[in-house]
Amino acid sequence: MTKIQTEQEYNAICERIEELLPQTWGDDVKGDSPACLELNLLANLVADWEDEHVIFDDVLGNAIKKSLFEKNLTQKAGAELLGISPSRMSDLVHGRMEPSYRLSRRICKKLNIPPEVVLGV
């Protein structure tokens, strides 16, 4: 599969990502394990689909995308920088979740986004 064609495919892949996440955490998991490789491929497919189909007017999401672009980072690399999963990063970028206090601090420090933008004030 090179591109997600339907929302049904998108939803199925998101479910598979959630199944894979617990298999890819931990110090004993190698980055080239089958689960990690599959997760990486699926996360990229989801990110591409969301870039094309998800419309949002989210100040924080836009600020994160801008910061990632300026730092020449992918969403996956940004997720690693912040210590979160690629799917959680996608949720942040697309305004489907708000960051916790701890994550808000990391976003401010590591992505150089002002606290008022992260907090929405």
Side-chain angles (χ1 to χ4, degrees):
M1 174 182 286
T2 59
K3 189 174 180 182
I4 296 173
Q5 300 296 321
T6 67
E7 191 167 350
Q8 183 178 10
E9 288 177 356
Y10 168 80
N11 290 331
I13 290 173
C14 287
E15 286 179 23
R16 179 63 182 149
I17 287 172
E18 292 300 322
E19 292 170 3
L20 288 168
L21 286 173
Q23 300 172 38
T24 60
W25 292 339
D27 295 335
D28 59 332
V29 177
K30 296 186 181 201
D32 62 349
S33 71
C36 287
L37 294 173
E38 182 182 359
L39 178 62
N40 186 36
L41 290 170
L42 295 178
N44 287 333
L45 286 172
V46 166
D48 290 346
W49 191 88
E50 288 176 345
D51 285 344
E52 189 175 325
H53 293 91
V54 177
I55 299 171
F56 63 95
D57 183 20
D58 180 60
V59 175
L60 177 57
N62 286 330
I64 291 172
K65 285 179 87 170
K66 181 178 184 235
S67 178
L68 293 175
F69 176 79
E70 289 172 350
K71 295 177 182 324
N72 199 28
L73 295 173
T74 63
Q75 277 190 26
K76 181 181 181 219
E80 290 174 11
L81 178 69
L82 295 174
I84 59 175
S85 69
S87 64
R88 192 159 179 213
M89 174 61 98
S90 179
D91 287 344
L92 279 172
V93 168
H94 295 291
R96 292 189 297 264
M97 70 163 283
E98 291 188 19
S100 66
Y101 174 74
R102 295 175 101 175
L103 180 54
S104 295
R105 290 188 61 180
R106 288 194 306 261
I107 291 170
C108 291
K109 289 180 178 182
K110 296 189 180 209
L111 296 180
N112 299 321
I113 297 175
E116 57 272 13
V117 172
V118 176
L119 298 174
V121 293

